[in-house]
Amino acid sequence: AQSVTQLGSHVSVSEGALVLLRCNYSSSVPPYLFWYVQYPNQGLQLLLKYTTGATLVKGINGFEAEFKKSETSFHLTKPSAHMSDAAEYFCAVTTNAGKSTFGDGTTLTVKP
Amino acid sequence: EAGVAQSPRYKIIEKRQSVAFWCNPISGHATLYWYQQILGQGPKLLIQFQNNGVVDDSQLPKDRFSAERLKGVDSTLKIQPAKLEDSAVYHCASSLGRTQGPYEQYFGPGTRLTVT
């Protein structure tokens, strides 16, 4: 069975500071990894994904994530936070069979 | 391209009543998912369709929840009778299809259900 752990249900940063949202997973087979973002009263939307190839993947709005197989991690980063980045972020793992498991989410607050 | 449509957006019912949610996926997407997201938790897969066949319904409480996807397009999710613990946001998502790899999922706006 696969699982996803997002460390820290709430993260607060100042505008312009580094954003780091942590995600660790367990999977019996090499997974596909995703980060989704959810703004208030909206559906989840894809930020970025890792399937194969380069382990550092870039997404929308300046976010990127690095797949580290040895650490079973897929942490999300952004060099400089913007007020508009305030939202809830979900890490998800999908198997080759298409079964997806989501973490419990991290709420990002950006202080002016 | 139109996104995933869901209705209603909000629903308040009393326990033991029934409720139905509707979803229209992105045109051409073969795979459709229904998720339940309880406050403070991540989305949990209830059921996954590939065209009009069920791929995974292992976490669907079949004594009260049912879902169908007629003609491999629209889908409905029904709860009968509802319990207080069914209060959650119900997400519908779609993707191109399993045979072409685990494409990313496209989510609708969700339906917020409150059971009183």
Side-chain angles (χ1 to χ4, degrees):
Chain A
Q2 59 191 17
S3 65
V4 178
T5 302
Q6 291 185 237
L7 296 175
S9 58
H10 291 85
V11 170
S12 180
V13 302
S14 297
E15 191 173 20
L18 171 71
V19 175
L20 171 60
L21 305 183
R22 300 178 187 272
C23 173
N24 288 88
Y25 68 91
S26 65
S27 177
S28 57
V29 295
Y32 300 92
L33 296 159
F34 302 84
W35 276 98
Y36 290 85
V37 61
Q38 185 176 28
Y39 299 102
N41 297 315
Q42 296 185 28
L44 282 75
Q45 61 185 83
L46 181 71
L47 261 184
L48 49 79
K49 64 180 178 182
Y50 169 78
T51 55
T52 59
T55 57
L56 181 63
V57 293
K58 297 185 184 298
I60 62 172
N61 302 336
F63 284 93
E64 62 183 35
E66 185 171 12
F67 170 56
K68 292 187 176 180
K69 185 177 179 180
S70 62
E71 299 178 8
T72 60
S73 69
F74 191 57
H75 301 330
L76 181 71
T77 60
K78 182 174 180 178
S80 177
H82 191 272
M83 297 296 291
S84 60
D85 294 328
E88 189 161 20
Y89 293 80
F90 293 93
C91 181
V93 57
T94 302
T95 67
N96 287 329
K99 184 176 175 66
S100 295
T101 302
F102 285 77
D104 284 338
T106 298
T107 299
L108 176 66
T109 302
V110 182
K111 299 174 293 185
Chain B
E1 158 181 276
V4 177
Q6 286 187 251
S7 67
R9 290 294 312 276
Y10 305 92
K11 189 75 176 178
I12 301 174
I13 61 173
E14 295 181 352
K15 60 183 179 183
R16 291 187 289 273
Q17 287 186 324
S18 63
V19 64
F21 310 129
W22 172 82
C23 173
N24 183 251
I26 292 173
S27 177
H29 280 195
T31 308
L32 185 146
Y33 314 78
W34 283 103
Y35 290 91
Q36 178 193 59
Q37 185 182 8
I38 294 172
L39 187 64
Q41 300 179 20
K44 182 185 80 173
L45 179 69
L46 291 176
I47 189 166
Q48 179 178 340
F49 292 95
Q50 178 75 7
N51 296 309
N52 60 347
V54 176
V55 172
D56 185 345
D57 63 356
S58 58
Q59 298 191 91
L60 185 74
K62 298 180 184 65
D63 58 332
R64 297 185 300 106
F65 285 66
S66 65
E68 61 181 8
R69 189 183 185 196
L70 299 176
K71 299 182 181 179
V73 183
D74 293 12
S75 177
T76 56
L77 176 69
K78 297 179 181 178
I79 308 175
Q80 182 178 14
K83 293 185 175 181
L84 296 177
E85 58 261 37
D86 298 331
S87 294
V89 175
Y90 291 84
H91 299 280
C92 179
S94 68
S95 67
L96 278 170
R98 288 176 60 212
T99 57
Q100 299 178 61
Y103 286 99
E104 60 263 31
Q105 298 174 40
Y106 295 81
F107 284 78
T111 296
R112 183 176 298 277
L113 173 67
T114 302
V115 182
T116 64

